[in-house]
Amino acid sequence: MKKCAACLKDYPQDTLFCPYDGSRLTDLNENEPYINTILDNKYRIDFKVAEGGMGNVYRATHLHLGIPVAVKIMHTDLLSDINSIERFRREAQATMQIRHTNAIAVLDFGVTNNNTVYLVMEFLEGCTLRRRLREVARFSISDTNWIIQQVCTGVHAAHKRNIIHRDLKPDNIFLQREAGEEIVKVLDFGIAKLKNQIEEQDRMLTRQGMVVGTPHYMSPEQCYGKEVDVRSDIYSLGVIIYELLAGVPPFDADTPIALAMKQATEAPRPIYEINPDIPIDINSIIMHALEKNPDKRPQTVMSLAQELENASNRIYVYMGRSIDSKQIDIEILSVDTPAINNILSNEAYPTPQSFSLQHLPKPNNQSFNKPDQNNQLSKINTNELPNIDLLVNQLPDIVQTMMKDLSGNISELDKTKQKTNKKTTKTYPVNCEICGQEVGRSLVENSTIICPDCRRNSRKMQQAEL
């Protein structure tokens, strides 16, 4: 019999692929000495589910509790390496300190009488983010935000305990299926650094100048073999966000050394050049996380998470309509009016929160007519109501223009007022980032956007490359 490591279904020996998820079936139990054995008088090893550099992962059953668990058994050829055993133990130590919903839970660690080193974790059903990325090619902004928010929460829990992961990548992020829903889990703290707590041990395990991590996701300071802190994990998260939205990582090369050089010295290509559906503000957030200088990145993972959350949920108000960030550049170019930026606050784009009560003028202190005690209707005196025209006139000019464009009814008196009391609003050209052509006007200086022609050309080039 063969078993699918993803869905855990059994198939005949002559079956090559899982008919449900397309995974290649392998006889994971072939030549496996631990299958159907009892480990440390507590765990019955059922079958192998994954292989790793430090050890193999098996699905096992806790004999006393009757629950499924994942047991990671260290490779026998590493048992003579004291540093490898220490890293294995440190994975258990680091993960057990975190205890968070978005980090895999470690339940036990031990060494048997015959020197079998093992680590017991909660058993997860689902797939890695790497596998999901292969299936969908790219993620939407909302799905990316949903995943990254949970990853950042789990990593933040580690950072609060002075634990730096140092190997964040889609392979170490798991999408667990539980009760019909998915929960994101951060895996593999095998090379995590417990800062302050075991720095002396870390210096012994990681020699000065030794590169630790996966080249596609390593920060520049990792590539140089320098001291790292939480901002190194933030850089790795920026690479992951880039890959989820673009379908490819920001850097690639034929050799790990060449890739590390690019990671440390080259600027990443703007993501909207690869995926034209990504707005400029999302690209800015990613580039912020991918700064070469750690001081220029977000200083905490939750700061990065908040930036992405705000950009993903931002609602743009234009001509009285709400449009999301994917539509903003198209919508602005579809009408012959200036782009609305910086209306009532210093925000890059106006949001409904910009129109708060604090911006409304206070009512005038005018004398009111005394209501007629004999007439009930006179209790509602229209003189007590604020002057609507006065309120509108005190709003910013650009808001008044929006209101008039929406109404479509400008009276002759209003037209006369416009001629006599016309206020000029200075606008600036909006140029295309790619071709440089002027495509509109804006209240904000040095505004840029991608014109529809360049978007179409970008899509054609991308399709031609495929």
Side-chain angles (χ1 to χ4, degrees):
M1 296 293 290
K2 290 184 178 181
K3 183 180 291 290
C4 175
C7 65
L8 304 180
K9 295 182 181 295
D10 294 321
Y11 298 98
Q13 193 67 28
D14 57 352
T15 307
L16 298 178
F17 298 95
C18 175
Y20 292 95
D21 50 44
S23 299
R24 186 178 183 85
L25 302 178
T26 56
D27 192 350
L28 297 175
N29 301 332
E30 185 179 0
N31 300 324
E32 283 295 334
Y34 298 108
I35 301 301
N36 296 325
T37 62
I38 305 300
L39 181 66
D40 217 5
N41 296 320
K42 291 185 289 185
Y43 307 103
R44 184 185 69 240
I45 307 299
D46 299 326
F47 54 85
K48 186 169 69 175
V49 296
E51 296 181 354
M54 294 289 292
N56 295 335
V57 180
Y58 301 85
R59 190 224 191 243
T61 302
H62 195 297
L63 295 179
H64 306 298
L65 301 178
I67 60 173
V69 293
V71 177
K72 187 174 184 179
I73 301 179
M74 189 174 181
H75 291 313
T76 55
D77 56 350
L78 297 177
L79 294 178
S80 58
D81 185 355
I82 298 178
N83 287 345
S84 296
I85 296 177
E86 179 58 27
R87 286 190 185 278
F88 205 75
R89 182 196 63 79
R90 194 170 67 179
E91 178 179 0
Q93 181 183 359
T95 312
M96 290 188 74
Q97 289 186 30
I98 298 173
R99 296 291 183 183
H100 192 274
T101 304
N102 298 118
I104 189 170
V106 169
L107 309 176
D108 194 7
F109 174 83
V111 181
T112 64
N113 295 330
N114 58 355
N115 291 328
T116 299
V117 183
Y118 68 91
L119 177 67
V120 181
M121 303 166 286
E122 61 177 324
F123 184 75
L124 304 178
E125 294 186 6
C127 67
T128 64
L129 182 58
R130 168 69 64 203
R131 177 175 173 181
R132 181 67 58 81
L133 184 58
R134 290 195 186 105
E135 294 173 353
V136 301
R138 288 175 181 168
F139 282 83
S140 66
I141 293 177
S142 59
D143 288 343
T144 299
N145 179 57
W146 177 83
I147 292 171
I148 295 301
Q149 292 300 320
Q150 297 186 65
V151 173
C152 286
T153 305
V155 174
H156 179 63
H159 288 176
K160 287 195 301 183
R161 292 159 178 80
N162 295 316
I163 299 172
I164 307 167
H165 193 287
R166 298 200 292 185
D167 197 23
L168 289 171
K169 54 186 177 181
D171 308 78
N172 288 337
I173 298 173
F174 198 87
L175 306 178
Q176 179 193 14
R177 289 192 298 265
E178 185 174 305
E181 299 181 353
E182 284 189 338
I183 300 175
V184 180
K185 299 271 190 178
V186 180
L187 311 178
D188 200 354
F189 286 82
I191 65 171
K193 178 177 179 180
L194 281 69
K195 192 173 178 62
N196 299 330
Q197 299 176 19
I198 53 173
E199 285 189 344
E200 187 62 34
Q201 298 178 29
D202 188 76
R203 281 192 289 269
M204 295 173 59
L205 294 173
T206 306
R207 299 184 302 273
Q208 182 67 28
M210 179 180 179
V211 176
V212 176
T214 303
H216 278 100
Y217 306 92
M218 285 165 47
S219 65
E221 53 268 33
Q222 279 182 288
C223 296
Y224 284 122
K226 296 181 179 179
E227 185 76 11
V228 299
D229 54 25
V230 298
R231 297 171 296 182
S232 179
D233 284 347
I234 293 172
Y235 185 94
S236 301
L237 287 170
V239 177
I240 295 173
I241 299 172
Y242 190 108
E243 185 174 9
L244 294 183
L245 295 174
V248 293
F251 301 106
D252 197 11
D254 295 332
T255 65
I257 295 178
L259 181 56
M261 288 298 297
K262 286 185 175 182
Q263 204 77 262
T265 60
E266 292 188 9
R269 180 183 178 188
I271 191 171
Y272 50 73
E273 293 183 4
I274 303 174
N275 183 359
D277 292 331
I278 302 301
I280 296 174
D281 52 348
I282 296 291
N283 178 75
S284 300
I285 292 170
I286 298 173
M287 297 304 156
H288 187 200
L290 294 180
E291 287 282 357
K292 305 301 181 186
N293 186 348
D295 294 333
K296 295 183 178 181
R297 300 173 204 153
Q299 298 302 291
T300 67
V301 289
M302 297 313 296
S303 298
L304 173 62
Q306 190 62 52
E307 288 182 16
L308 185 61
E309 176 76 9
N310 293 341
S312 300
N313 296 333
R314 182 175 292 146
I315 301 298
Y316 300 89
V317 179
Y318 188 73
M319 297 300 292
R321 293 174 295 144
S322 297
I323 54 180
D324 61 25
S325 57
K326 290 183 181 180
Q327 298 172 297
I328 184 67
D329 49 350
I330 299 174
E331 294 291 336
I332 285 180
L333 297 176
S334 66
V335 289
D336 188 21
T337 52
I340 299 179
N341 293 312
N342 202 15
I343 291 185
L344 295 176
S345 68
N346 292 325
E347 293 177 315
Y349 297 97
T351 67
Q353 288 73 21
S354 303
F355 299 92
S356 60
L357 294 178
Q358 63 181 346
H359 299 292
L360 295 178
K362 297 180 180 180
N364 293 332
N365 294 327
Q366 52 182 312
S367 59
F368 302 117
N369 296 333
K370 185 177 181 179
D372 187 359
Q373 300 294 334
N374 297 326
N375 188 349
Q376 295 293 328
L377 294 177
S378 65
K379 293 181 180 180
I380 305 177
N381 196 327
T382 57
N383 292 332
E384 299 179 9
L385 297 176
N387 190 311
I388 300 300
D389 292 335
L390 182 61
L391 293 179
V392 172
N393 290 336
Q394 294 187 28
L395 290 173
D397 292 341
I398 189 65
V399 178
Q400 297 183 44
T401 303
M402 287 174 58
M403 296 174 64
K404 292 171 183 176
D405 288 345
L406 288 173
S407 63
N409 298 318
I410 304 178
S411 63
E412 293 297 328
L413 181 61
D414 201 11
K415 291 181 180 179
T416 303
K417 181 181 177 182
Q418 286 184 4
K419 293 179 181 179
T420 57
N421 299 324
K422 185 176 181 181
K423 296 181 181 179
T424 58
T425 302
K426 187 175 182 180
T427 60
Y428 302 91
V430 178
N431 297 323
C432 175
E433 286 196 355
I434 298 178
C435 66
Q437 180 181 357
E438 181 177 338
V439 293
R441 307 288 296 181
S442 172
L443 297 179
V444 179
E445 192 175 2
N446 298 325
S447 298
T448 59
I449 211 165
I450 301 177
C451 69
D453 291 337
C454 290
R455 279 185 176 275
R456 285 192 292 269
N457 293 335
S458 178
R459 291 191 181 97
K460 290 179 181 179
M461 292 175 61
Q462 183 180 4
Q463 291 174 358
E465 291 176 358
L466 295 176

